[in-house]
Amino acid sequence: MKNKLFGLIYMSSYKIQLNIVDLKKLTIIEKIDSPSFGQADSKSEVFENDMTKICQALDGFKEKLAEYRINNFKFYANQQLIDDLSASYIADQIRVRTGFQVKWLSESQIVYAKVLSGIKSFSKVKRGKLHTIPIYLLSLGSAMVNLSYFENQKFVSTWGLPLGPREIQEINEITNTTPNNPIDVIKDYIGARIDHLARQINPSPNAAIMIQHADSLSNRYLQQNDTVTRITANEFGRFYQDTINMPQAYMMQKYQLEPAVAEHTLPNLIAIRKFINLLEPAEVYITDMSVITGLLMQEAKRNLNKEIYSDNIVTTFAKNMADHYLVDRQHAEAVTKFALHIFDRLHCIHMLDEKDRQLLTLAAIVDDVGSFINQSSRYEQSAEILEANKLIGLSDKENEVVKEICRYQTIDEGPGKPDIGGHHYRNLDSHIQLKITKLSAILRIATALDASHKQKIKQIVVSLKKDNHLIIHAKTNADITLERWSFNKHIKLFEEVFGIKVSLKQEGMNR
């Protein structure tokens, strides 16, 4: 029994936690928290001032893992508040002092884990009441407030609102210099940010809202062993009025809050109230399932090879982005189909893995979003959009790969244009350069096969001859003069990176 257990260590910005878990049942057997970290005055101080506390906790976790005879464990940490350089320093100190290897999670990966845990929490509502109504998942955190939207318990979209140490510090600076009621100032500060999101959101009538990671609400309303509960709008209103003017020390004692969590409580409650007023939900739920639940769902899927959840959330997010920027969906679907067919047929040539296949899929969906801004530099614009709007569920490095695949779809050789081997490319991480080149080469060919955006080529057959000659057979009876011309312009990179000659051969559909 013990050998089948899994250990998950998660380090947030205010504590580090060990969970001993039965992955098969997705139940936590034992949970151990470190003492609360100090409240950082700036992002640069997150984790660094608490390194001794972190390492002491990890040494204790090591003993607990040994007690359970657990060799299968993971150590994740939230990187939302620190940069890559700080993350590498902290990871190295932890490795040297404890032997633990930490895996940093990007903002996109944190949001993805929250979305997964939201789906899990929906299933805990009795009698399946949430199966048929739209649901908003309001996720609170140390760096961001995220609002995700679901229909039929399937992910549709997500929006983010920064509310981390910088914003809290700004709120403190403003409220410390005004004689006015600080609560009114916080309302204005947060309201200005939510108003921007409100213009992007079409509230769904009769929807439910699930509030996630609101420790004060969870500690007040969740009963022991419960993970989800429903409260009325009046109950939330009374809780809000009781808490909003409460001294922080008393709030920490009453709701058993960590200092860093208590600091966020008032801004978070104001944000919750404003979202409830905006969305006018028919039902309000509270859950204590959050990032850790989502991480455990991913580990269960990997370890048990079991379909615990659908893995189309990332693709849905990419398609929604493409729709937002008015990408030709039929063209994107055709390009994706061709790109994946080429990828699958040439595995022995490119030697890339399943994750790379996913990155190619995502790039094929979003590579043309930049056309919304500027047709003449659409691929560079696509890269800029993807830099500012990272795909959820991917690490920062994986998002970079998708972004650069899109950038290098351009074949223009004018001054300042992206060039494989050029200055920008040479400054990319050497570990991803070749991957970007290979995937860019495949996507260039796939894009050329629908150059007219009319889906003239219904099917392709890829055959690699013994003389290192790759022939792509295009099944169509249509005139593909434009596709052939575009194909011949786009094959250069493919031939250079893979060292094989490529040609296009048209075959009628009656063959």
Side-chain angles (χ1 to χ4, degrees):
M1 168 65 180
K2 289 184 178 179
N3 291 334
K4 294 181 180 179
L5 297 180
F6 177 80
L8 187 136
I9 301 170
Y10 178 66
M11 184 166 68
S12 70
S13 61
Y14 65 92
K15 69 178 178 181
I16 184 168
Q17 183 182 96
L18 169 65
N19 293 270
I20 306 297
V21 185
D22 182 339
L23 281 181
K24 192 171 183 180
K25 297 178 181 177
L26 268 183
T27 55
I28 296 175
I29 308 299
E30 185 175 355
K31 180 171 68 175
I32 306 168
D33 290 336
S34 73
S36 177
F37 298 161
Q39 298 176 66
D41 293 327
S42 66
K43 289 186 176 183
S44 63
E45 296 178 358
V46 175
F47 302 128
E48 291 185 7
N49 293 344
D50 293 286
M51 190 55 59
T52 299
K53 197 177 293 183
I54 290 169
C55 292
Q56 287 174 347
L58 287 171
D59 286 337
F61 294 168
K62 193 181 298 183
E63 293 177 6
K64 181 60 68 172
L65 290 169
E67 179 184 324
Y68 277 93
R69 301 179 189 172
I70 293 175
N71 295 315
N72 186 17
F73 65 90
K74 290 283 182 65
F75 177 15
Y76 292 104
N78 187 331
Q79 198 193 326
Q80 286 181 282
L81 295 176
I82 60 173
D83 58 30
D84 288 342
L85 186 61
S86 296
S88 67
Y89 288 161
I90 292 166
D92 186 66
Q93 289 181 55
I94 290 173
R95 181 186 59 80
V96 170
R97 294 170 67 172
T98 70
F100 280 101
Q101 297 279 356
V102 59
K103 177 177 174 57
W104 292 104
L105 298 175
S106 67
E107 178 185 318
S108 303
Q109 290 169 307
I110 295 291
V111 174
Y112 182 71
K114 288 181 176 181
V115 167
L116 287 180
S117 66
I119 293 172
K120 181 70 175 175
S121 65
F122 302 157
S123 68
K124 296 293 184 180
V125 176
K126 293 179 180 178
R127 298 183 299 279
K129 288 187 69 176
L130 299 184
H131 276 289
T132 57
I133 63 175
I135 311 169
Y136 291 98
L137 177 69
L138 183 60
S139 303
L140 309 170
S142 58
M144 297 285 292
V145 173
N146 294 99
L147 182 70
S148 303
Y149 178 63
F150 300 78
E151 290 180 351
N152 300 316
Q153 296 197 11
K154 292 184 178 179
F155 173 80
V156 176
S157 191
T158 190
W159 303 269
L161 174 73
L163 195 59
R166 184 176 68 84
E167 290 74 27
I168 297 295
Q169 187 177 16
E170 284 182 351
I171 289 172
N172 290 336
E173 288 174 0
I174 297 167
T175 55
N176 288 337
T177 58
T178 178
N180 298 323
N181 186 341
I183 300 302
D184 292 335
V185 178
I186 298 172
K187 287 178 182 177
D188 288 343
Y189 181 95
I190 294 175
R193 283 148 180 78
I194 292 178
D195 286 347
H196 176 72
L197 283 183
R199 293 191 288 273
Q200 305 176 49
I201 298 169
N202 241 347
S204 294
N206 302 316
I209 188 168
M210 181 82 73
I211 302 169
Q212 182 186 68
H213 209 262
D215 289 12
S216 58
L217 283 167
S218 296
N219 294 348
R220 167 64 180 84
Y221 290 105
L222 280 176
Q223 301 298 315
Q224 190 173 8
N225 299 323
D226 280 349
T227 54
V228 178
T229 192
R230 181 185 176 187
I231 64 171
T232 66
N234 287 336
E235 283 178 312
F236 174 76
R238 286 194 298 270
F239 179 87
Y240 177 86
Q241 293 300 334
D242 290 344
T243 309
I244 201 68
N245 292 306
M246 193 178 287
Q248 186 167 308
Y250 180 63
M251 184 194 305
M252 290 169 57
Q253 180 182 2
K254 184 176 177 65
Y255 300 128
Q256 299 175 324
L257 302 177
E258 303 282 354
V261 175
E263 190 176 45
H264 278 74
T265 297
L266 291 186
N268 281 343
L269 282 178
I270 291 170
I272 292 169
R273 190 187 195 202
K274 286 190 173 292
F275 275 114
I276 287 177
N277 291 339
L278 169 66
L279 302 172
E280 298 181 342
E283 298 182 356
V284 179
Y285 293 87
I286 297 165
T287 180
D288 63 356
M289 291 185 174
S290 192
V291 175
I292 289 173
T293 307
L295 293 174
L296 288 174
M297 290 171 72
Q298 294 175 70
E299 290 298 336
K301 188 170 185 176
R302 278 191 287 265
N303 281 264
L304 304 177
N305 197 24
K306 186 178 177 182
E307 194 66 21
I308 295 174
Y309 57 90
S310 172
D311 207 16
N312 62 1
I313 295 169
V314 186
T315 306
T316 298
F317 185 87
K319 288 180 177 178
N320 288 339
M321 180 188 291
D323 289 343
H324 178 78
Y325 289 101
L326 306 182
V327 170
D328 181 344
R329 177 170 278 206
Q330 290 180 311
H331 171 69
E333 288 174 351
V335 170
T336 303
K337 179 178 72 173
F338 295 147
L340 294 182
H341 185 80
I342 295 168
F343 183 96
D344 293 341
R345 292 288 294 136
L346 297 181
H347 186 266
C348 61
I349 302 296
H350 57 64
M351 301 298 288
L352 298 171
D353 59 24
E354 194 64 24
K355 172 56 76 171
D356 299 322
R357 189 181 191 274
Q358 182 195 27
L359 301 182
L360 175 62
T361 301
L362 296 171
I365 294 170
V366 301
D367 76 324
D368 206 27
V369 294
S371 293
F372 184 87
I373 298 173
N374 189 328
Q375 273 278 341
S376 64
S377 59
R378 63 185 185 275
Y379 296 125
E380 297 98 303
Q381 295 295 338
S382 295
E384 293 299 320
I385 290 171
L386 289 165
E387 173 66 28
N389 301 274
K390 291 182 170 59
L391 300 174
I392 68 168
L394 302 186
S395 68
D396 286 342
K397 193 64 68 180
E398 289 161 351
N399 263 300
E400 185 179 11
V401 171
V402 174
K403 176 186 71 175
E404 297 303 330
I405 293 170
C406 295
R407 185 191 308 278
Y408 290 109
Q409 288 312 291
T410 184
I411 59 169
D412 296 340
E413 297 181 353
K417 291 295 182 181
D419 173 36
I420 295 286
H423 176 74
H424 177 84
Y425 179 85
R426 290 197 303 272
N427 281 281
L428 295 174
D429 186 332
S430 60
H431 293 97
I432 62 174
Q433 285 178 334
L434 185 57
K435 180 183 298 186
I436 290 168
T437 305
K438 289 180 177 181
L439 294 175
S440 297
I442 292 172
L443 187 55
R444 284 187 185 186
I445 289 180
T447 301
L449 292 172
D450 191 41
S452 65
H453 284 233
K454 293 183 177 179
Q455 295 78 59
K456 293 180 179 180
I457 298 173
K458 306 301 180 187
Q459 180 185 351
I460 62 172
V461 175
V462 177
S463 59
L464 182 62
K465 304 301 182 183
K466 290 183 179 179
D467 60 351
N468 255 9
H469 183 195
L470 179 70
I471 301 175
I472 297 179
H473 305 266
K475 301 284 189 175
T476 180
N477 293 323
D479 178 0
I480 59 168
T481 301
L482 178 59
E483 280 72 19
R484 190 182 300 280
W485 173 83
S486 181
F487 182 89
N488 290 332
K489 284 178 67 69
H490 282 80
I491 60 175
K492 180 182 177 183
L493 178 61
F494 190 98
E495 292 182 335
E496 288 178 350
V497 71
F498 294 114
I500 56 179
K501 180 175 173 56
V502 189
S503 58
L504 177 65
K505 182 177 181 180
Q506 182 174 357
E507 295 181 358
M509 291 295 290
N510 60 337
R511 295 189 181 184

